[in-house]
Amino acid sequence: MLNPVKEKITLLREQIKQHNTHYYSLDTPTITDSEYDRLLLQLKQLESENPKFLTPDSPTQKVGGAVLDKFIKVNHEVPMLSLDNVFNGEDLSDFIERLNNRLTLTENLTFCAEPKLDGLAISLLYENGILVRAATRGDGSIGEDVTHNVKTIQNIPHQLQGENIPETIEIRGEVVMPMAAFNNYNKKASENGEKSFANPRNAAAGSLRQLDSKITAKRPLAFFSYGIGLVNNGDLANSHFQRLQQLKKWGLPLTNEIEVKQGFQGCLDYYQTILTLRDTLPYEIDGIVYKVDDIELQQQLGFISRAPRWAIAHKFPAQEEQTKLLDVEFQVGRTGAITPVAILEPVFVGGVNISRASLHNNDEIERLGIKIGDTVVVRRAADVIPQISRSLPEQNLSPKTIVFPSNCPVCKSEIEKIEGEAVARCSGGLYCAAQRKEAIQYFSSRKAMNIDGLGEKVVEQLVDEKLINNPADLFVLKSEQLIGLERMGPKKAENLINALNNSKKTTFAKFLLALGIREVGEATAKNLAEYYLTLDALKSADIDSLQEVDDVGEIVAKHVDYFFRQTHNLEVIDALLAAGIEWPVLVPKEQKKLPLLDKTYVLTGTLNKMKRNEAKAALQLLGAKVSGSVSAKTNCVVAGESAGSKLTKAQELNIPIIDEDGLIALLESFSDK
Ligand code: I6G
């Protein structure tokens, strides 16, 4: 009969091995790091409680994953190990106590404390100060040769500078994609419909493990050293911290946060400090690494299967957790923006319980390719609101497609989705309950209906008390209804009623502006009013006609069209007109008459004070036609010096003739009209 513990151990090992392949070799993890840590911890516990089942091929005894065939293999002469983890202060205290016991120390141990960057571990081999090889950690003994790619990373020196550089020195550290670059890369990728990276670690690993180093060169990667592997003919300090400072002097980059700390309390204080700084650091970190600082003590402590005994990673709370997408709700914002919100099976991320996350817009849903019922990763980083960063390829037995509604969930008006704009909006701006306060406030603002005394607080109270639902309701308010409001005495109420009455006399442009049509600001409202002259004409304008108005392009035309197609908006407009809002009738702008319109001029002879084409343009600007020949239809001939046959003909036909000074006087007589 099979032993259930052994069975469980076998199952966990298989699962972890599979995840190792996805994480280390394929750079496409199928579970979150925290879920992975939990599986590994579970396996470790079972193995330590049942040591008879411990085998050397267990993932608890191994580092990383297999190396990819596409790269040349590199032998790590000094194995590149991994680190053991602790997840709380108690386990850290146990770790330090174990060290003290092993070393039979009574005083505080000195540690070098460093942030643990979430990137890809790399080995850089320098011979006589020249970078000759770079390799991934791989399985700890064999890594992948990525020299060509690493050489494209800006902050990695190809040659070390300074004194006492050992003949051979292997630097170890982490390649990361800094946060700013990661966010920027993903933003651009999603704008261009390209695949974005799940997290900065994936971005770094995926970028470095490329066969074509031109691709790597385009990715903004950075390297930070954390230790030394192989050394030949070199004289190094006996302190890990001092060794790191030496690396810095040779030109190798270090993180800024490395410090020396004493004992458990020193380590814990450092952990707290860096945890509070976590979101402000330029790179993503997932914990702290404490290393016994004294190299001789490190040597005394040695290694266990896959990790040094003298170092430990103290992990931070995870910023990513996986959970189920239960449903998607659509929220309507104050300005009508429709935001899909993911309803999640509650999950604890970064110290907070999360059951909802914004999905931003339909493009984001498509980018993520998620369906209801999927397992998704919730990420909570920096001060950012929780995000769904990706879905995991777990079996979803009854996937439900997320359907973006075509009508507003609050007021049922049409949802306006304009091509090229990510945000979809409810077009029932005047009527929609979600947009009420914003719409009424905008309606009464100074540049629109200019209703004095109708500030934000009053509008809020009027809506909350259900005294008004839309701008038209303002005009049937009675002063008795107003007097009940906060800080509203009889005098103020009377003033507000008067202001409402006064506002009824307005202009067409201000009324249009007050309707709050998307992207119709003061100038556009004025242009629309001048072009259409009446509200009826504007209401029945189609998208093509709207685009003939100055400053109105396709998008604005569509907004206007949508707005006037919503029955509810039209009802509110009718109620406003019924309440007595009016404006002076507009008449078409008279075309200003040009003074020389219908007159034909002929220029002949040489002009001395102005060029002939200047004279021609000046006459044309005043409306004149400038002809090349004299006929009975010519109104005037400008005769310059040595004028010939044209002058004679003008004289014969009795056509008025002026000289160059006469022309100048004529032009000047119209110059300021
Ligand atoms: O994987 C690692 C990340 C960071 C490390 C490490 C580290 O120090 C800041 N240090 C060691 C000694 C090892 N792995 C093995």
Side-chain angles (χ1 to χ4, degrees):
M1 214 182 69
L2 268 175
N3 180 316
V5 176
K6 190 162 183 225
E7 247 186 289
K8 178 81 196 158
I9 287 179
T10 309
L11 180 69
L12 278 169
R13 283 179 186 166
E14 271 166 20
Q15 283 179 327
I16 293 169
K17 278 180 192 166
Q18 253 187 25
H19 292 311
N20 278 348
T21 307
H22 281 284
Y23 183 91
Y24 291 109
S25 307
L26 305 176
D27 298 320
T28 51
T30 50
I31 53 170
T32 54
D33 291 0
S34 49
E35 196 63 28
Y36 177 87
D37 284 344
R38 275 192 285 273
L39 292 177
L40 200 65
L41 200 67
Q42 222 183 331
L43 178 61
K44 260 190 199 166
Q45 252 157 15
L46 286 176
E47 286 176 344
S48 77
E49 285 158 15
N50 305 275
K52 62 178 183 230
F53 296 137
L54 184 62
T55 55
D57 70 336
S58 170
T60 58
Q61 309 300 301
K62 292 184 149 202
V63 173
V67 298
L68 291 184
D69 281 341
K70 63 180 184 178
F71 294 103
I72 295 170
K73 292 180 180 55
V74 166
N75 239 331
H76 295 301
E77 241 178 274
V78 177
M80 270 188 96
L81 299 177
S82 172
L83 287 169
D84 266 343
N85 295 326
V86 290
F87 294 91
N88 53 50
E90 204 181 312
D91 291 346
L92 174 65
S93 162
D94 289 350
F95 165 77
I96 294 177
E97 202 178 307
R98 280 199 302 277
L99 294 184
N100 284 330
N101 289 343
R102 244 177 202 277
L103 297 168
T104 57
L105 291 178
T106 44
E107 77 271 30
N108 269 339
L109 253 178
T110 301
F111 291 95
C112 179
E114 307 168 42
K116 186 173 182 300
L117 306 197
D118 206 4
L120 187 74
I122 287 288
S123 139
L124 305 178
L125 187 67
Y126 287 89
E127 272 171 6
N128 300 313
I130 309 285
L131 176 62
V132 293
R133 193 201 70 195
T136 63
R137 173 156 58 189
D139 66 5
S141 308
I142 299 170
E144 296 148 328
D145 189 325
V146 284
T147 315
H148 56 303
N149 292 340
V150 160
K151 281 189 172 170
T152 70
I153 299 176
Q154 297 286 322
N155 74 340
I156 294 184
H158 291 196
Q159 180 160 15
L160 301 180
Q161 305 290 331
E163 288 161 18
N164 300 326
I165 298 168
E167 195 180 298
T168 305
I169 184 159
E170 184 200 353
I171 312 299
R172 289 173 178 181
E174 206 87 3
V175 168
V176 296
M177 186 179 281
M179 279 317 291
F182 167 74
N183 290 330
N184 199 20
Y185 182 92
N186 269 1
K187 188 167 166 264
K188 283 208 182 117
S190 81
E191 278 166 8
N192 300 334
E194 288 162 12
K195 200 174 159 283
S196 51
F197 287 115
N199 50 46
R201 183 216 166 260
N202 254 268
S207 302
L208 200 60
R209 298 165 88 207
Q210 293 283 340
L211 284 180
D212 181 358
S213 56
K214 284 197 217 83
I215 299 180
T216 314
K218 285 190 197 138
R219 306 278 171 85
L221 302 176
F223 170 80
F224 297 95
S225 330
Y226 64 63
I228 295 169
L230 182 71
V231 188
N232 283 332
N233 295 336
D235 193 12
L236 298 172
N238 190 39
S239 138
H240 176 71
F241 181 81
Q242 291 307 335
R243 286 184 172 192
L244 291 181
Q245 300 316 307
Q246 178 62 71
L247 298 190
K248 194 174 178 178
K249 285 192 191 130
W250 289 331
L252 286 153
L254 297 183
T255 55
N256 279 330
E257 294 76 26
I258 303 171
E259 285 183 36
V260 171
K261 293 286 155 192
Q262 304 299 327
F264 168 71
Q265 199 53 50
C267 289
L268 204 60
D269 291 347
Y270 177 84
Y271 174 92
Q272 285 304 345
T273 309
I274 301 296
L275 183 57
T276 49
L277 291 178
R278 181 187 199 182
D279 294 340
T280 66
L281 297 179
Y283 22 68
E284 179 143 287
I285 64 173
D286 61 351
I288 301 295
V289 182
Y290 313 109
K291 295 175 184 168
V292 169
D293 190 57
D294 185 315
I295 304 290
E296 268 170 33
L297 293 183
Q298 283 188 6
Q299 281 159 357
Q300 274 186 48
L301 287 162
F303 303 87
I304 32 171
S305 54
R306 58 171 222 154
R309 265 204 201 88
W310 41 265
I312 197 93
H314 188 178
K315 297 293 277 279
F316 283 153
Q319 284 183 311
E320 282 192 347
E321 289 290 356
Q322 60 196 62
T323 187
K324 278 241 155 8
L325 175 64
L326 300 178
D327 201 358
V328 173
E329 273 180 17
F330 292 86
Q331 278 184 353
V332 191
R334 282 169 68 94
T335 57
I338 312 283
T339 310
V341 178
I343 311 300
L344 303 164
E345 210 166 77
V347 63
F348 209 62
V349 191
V352 179
N353 219 2
I354 287 168
S355 55
R356 298 165 75 83
S358 170
L359 282 167
H360 306 292
N361 51 52
N362 204 37
D363 292 355
E364 177 76 353
I365 295 176
E366 278 174 11
R367 189 182 70 76
L368 291 166
I370 46 171
K371 290 198 162 55
I372 293 165
D374 278 358
T375 299
V376 293
V377 175
V378 179
R379 188 176 161 82
R380 193 180 156 269
D383 294 329
V384 184
I385 49 165
Q387 310 269 336
I388 291 187
S389 63
R390 65 203 137 109
S391 71
L392 293 173
E394 267 214 350
Q395 245 198 346
N396 181 354
L397 293 177
S398 49
K400 228 176 100 192
T401 307
I402 301 163
V403 182
F404 210 92
S406 45
N407 290 85
C408 170
V410 174
C411 76
K412 304 288 175 268
S413 296
E414 268 182 283
I415 286 178
E416 190 186 353
K417 173 80 183 80
I418 291 200
E419 223 183 287
E421 284 201 348
V423 182
R425 288 176 197 274
C426 162
S427 52
L430 280 187
Y431 170 81
C432 181
Q435 301 175 64
R436 230 163 238 172
K437 291 180 182 172
E438 195 79 6
I440 296 170
Q441 241 161 266
Y442 188 77
F443 178 86
S444 54
S445 64
R446 194 162 295 280
K447 62 183 182 183
M449 297 299 285
N450 191 19
I451 305 169
D452 227 14
L454 197 63
E456 196 181 321
K457 284 269 164 309
V458 180
V459 172
E460 245 172 48
Q461 289 183 70
L462 288 170
V463 173
D464 291 345
E465 299 288 326
K466 304 210 169 10
L467 292 171
I468 56 171
N469 281 333
N470 62 57
D473 294 341
L474 286 167
F475 297 96
V476 287
L477 282 170
K478 301 270 169 296
S479 63
E480 307 87 81
Q481 291 174 297
L482 296 176
I483 289 167
L485 304 179
E486 223 176 88
R487 272 184 266 140
M488 180 74 75
K491 185 73 201 146
K492 263 195 173 170
E494 195 190 316
N495 287 347
L496 182 50
I497 298 283
N498 286 339
L500 280 162
N501 284 330
N502 293 339
S503 75
K504 287 181 190 170
K505 291 220 177 316
T506 182
T507 64
F508 184 26
K510 286 190 179 204
F511 180 75
L512 278 183
L513 179 71
L515 298 180
I517 305 168
R518 278 205 69 68
E519 292 189 38
V520 174
E522 272 174 294
T524 310
K526 194 161 168 278
N527 292 343
L528 287 168
E530 280 173 5
Y531 188 89
Y532 288 103
L533 307 176
T534 68
L535 184 59
D536 282 340
L538 174 59
K539 278 199 296 198
S540 51
D542 63 18
I543 293 179
D544 285 343
S545 144
L546 285 162
Q547 285 181 76
E548 281 166 22
V549 180
D550 268 358
D551 281 344
V552 175
E554 194 187 336
I555 290 182
V556 177
K558 281 185 177 167
H559 287 316
V560 175
D561 179 61
Y562 257 106
F563 183 89
F564 286 113
R565 267 198 283 133
Q566 306 311 309
T567 322
H568 291 313
N569 288 341
L570 297 179
E571 282 166 7
V572 176
I573 291 175
D574 286 346
L576 286 166
L577 299 179
I581 289 182
E582 56 178 8
W583 52 85
V585 174
L586 294 177
V587 283
K589 255 196 188 167
E590 242 188 308
Q591 217 188 11
K592 222 174 147 194
K593 220 169 160 253
L594 295 170
L596 298 182
L597 207 64
D598 305 328
K599 301 275 184 268
T600 303
Y601 277 67
V602 173
L603 296 169
T604 182
T606 308
L607 300 180
N608 293 318
K609 297 183 181 153
M610 60 198 307
K611 289 191 184 119
R612 182 183 278 252
N613 59 355
E614 280 174 2
K616 186 175 171 185
L619 286 165
Q620 283 172 333
L621 220 61
L622 293 167
K625 229 176 100 190
V626 179
S627 169
S629 58
V630 178
S631 73
K633 285 188 188 151
T634 307
N635 296 98
C636 180
V637 170
V638 180
E641 230 174 72
S642 325
S645 61
K646 288 182 196 168
L647 174 60
T648 319
K649 191 160 183 193
Q651 285 161 341
E652 282 165 16
L653 293 174
N654 246 343
I655 291 169
I657 297 163
I658 55 173
D659 62 7
E660 188 174 3
D661 287 337
L663 173 67
I664 291 169
L666 177 79
L667 295 176
E668 274 175 2
S669 72
F670 295 120
S671 70
D672 50 13
K673 285 199 181 131

